[in-house]
Amino acid sequence: MSDFVQARRAMVNSQVRINDVTDYRIQDAMLELPRELFVPRSKQAKAYGDAEVEVAEGRFLISPRDLAKLIHVANVRPTDLVLDVACGRGYTTALLARLAETVVGIDSDDDLVRRASERLTEVRADNAVVVKADPTAGVPDQGPFDVIVIAGAVDEVPDALLEQLAEGGRLVTFVRSGPVGRATVFTKGQGGSVGEYVVFDGTPTLVPGFGKEDEFVF
């Protein structure tokens, strides 16, 4: 048994199962998916630790605990069409692909789009694709989506993404409140109304492009 296989088991046992992630599909997906393939080679030893891993300058793969809980509250179904926003090197996209019917990952960085696409092919996530797009704008021509995931912190969720939710759809992310991110589920109701509720706290890094613009001070 390889060290990475043992590390995956330890990750699921110590960071996922004990943190109210009771969906066995998520547990099994995290046990099977080689997380180390989705981080830089120099960071592979940190892939299964209880912390974020930097995958590019200013870009992070959030901790296993935060990611598992976030996906759990999204309630991804086998028939869902899912959008993974600011997907980075594609780990979350690949994980969602094991839970949903189809997954679209988007990122604005050419190198990350290329790397994510290569890794999805490597792990045979044939029902997922990564395309270059502005994460704050989404891909309206591909929706509406049953689930939208922003696996990191935001100051606010752009209206453009909420508009791409299908009726009954869920958008999940961490909305910053000071230094803390509050895992929040946004739901689309009849007539386009959007509700939200907070589920748990975490401390993921802000996703570039999702911060409030600095106000001018006179």
Side-chain angles (χ1 to χ4, degrees), residues 9-196:
R9 288 185 177 181
M11 172 191 72
V12 171
N13 288 333
S14 65
Q15 300 179 51
V16 177
R17 288 194 174 112
I18 65 171
N19 279 298
D20 301 321
V21 180
T22 56
D23 188 335
Y24 289 110
R25 298 179 308 142
I26 298 174
Q27 296 179 17
D28 290 344
M30 296 186 81
L31 277 171
E32 296 167 0
L33 194 62
R35 187 174 162 102
E36 73 275 7
L37 294 183
F38 295 86
V39 303
R41 188 177 298 275
S42 62
K43 304 290 180 64
Q44 287 186 340
K46 301 179 180 179
Y48 296 99
D50 187 16
E52 295 182 311
V53 181
E54 189 170 24
V55 297
E57 185 175 358
R59 301 293 302 279
F60 293 84
L61 172 58
I62 68 174
S63 71
R65 176 260 188 189
D66 283 355
L67 182 57
K69 287 176 69 68
L70 190 69
I71 292 177
H72 187 256
V73 299
N75 190 29
V76 181
R77 299 179 291 244
T79 56
D80 281 345
L81 172 61
V82 180
L83 177 65
D84 182 21
V85 175
C87 65
R89 290 188 176 223
Y91 178 75
T92 302
T93 308
L95 192 60
L96 290 165
R98 292 174 179 253
L99 307 174
E101 182 172 333
T102 305
V103 183
V104 179
I106 59 173
D107 207 286
S108 59
D109 185 286
D110 287 314
D111 183 60
L112 290 177
V113 169
R114 177 183 62 81
R115 291 178 183 277
S117 298
E118 291 173 349
R119 291 298 177 261
L120 290 177
T121 298
E122 189 171 347
V123 299
R124 299 181 179 179
D126 299 329
N127 61 330
V129 64
V130 174
V131 297
K132 183 178 180 180
D134 176 0
T136 64
V139 280
D141 59 327
Q142 300 289 327
F145 297 94
D146 301 297
V147 175
I148 298 177
V149 176
I150 311 173
V154 305
D155 283 334
E156 55 190 10
V157 176
D159 289 339
L161 293 179
L162 293 173
E163 290 169 359
Q164 290 168 51
L165 276 179
E167 187 173 302
R170 292 85 62 204
L171 184 152
V172 294
T173 190
F174 290 88
V175 180
R176 290 205 304 186
S177 177
V180 176
R182 303 194 183 282
T184 305
V185 180
F186 295 81
T187 58
K188 176 73 71 70
Q190 292 184 344
S193 62
V194 176
E196 62 182 89

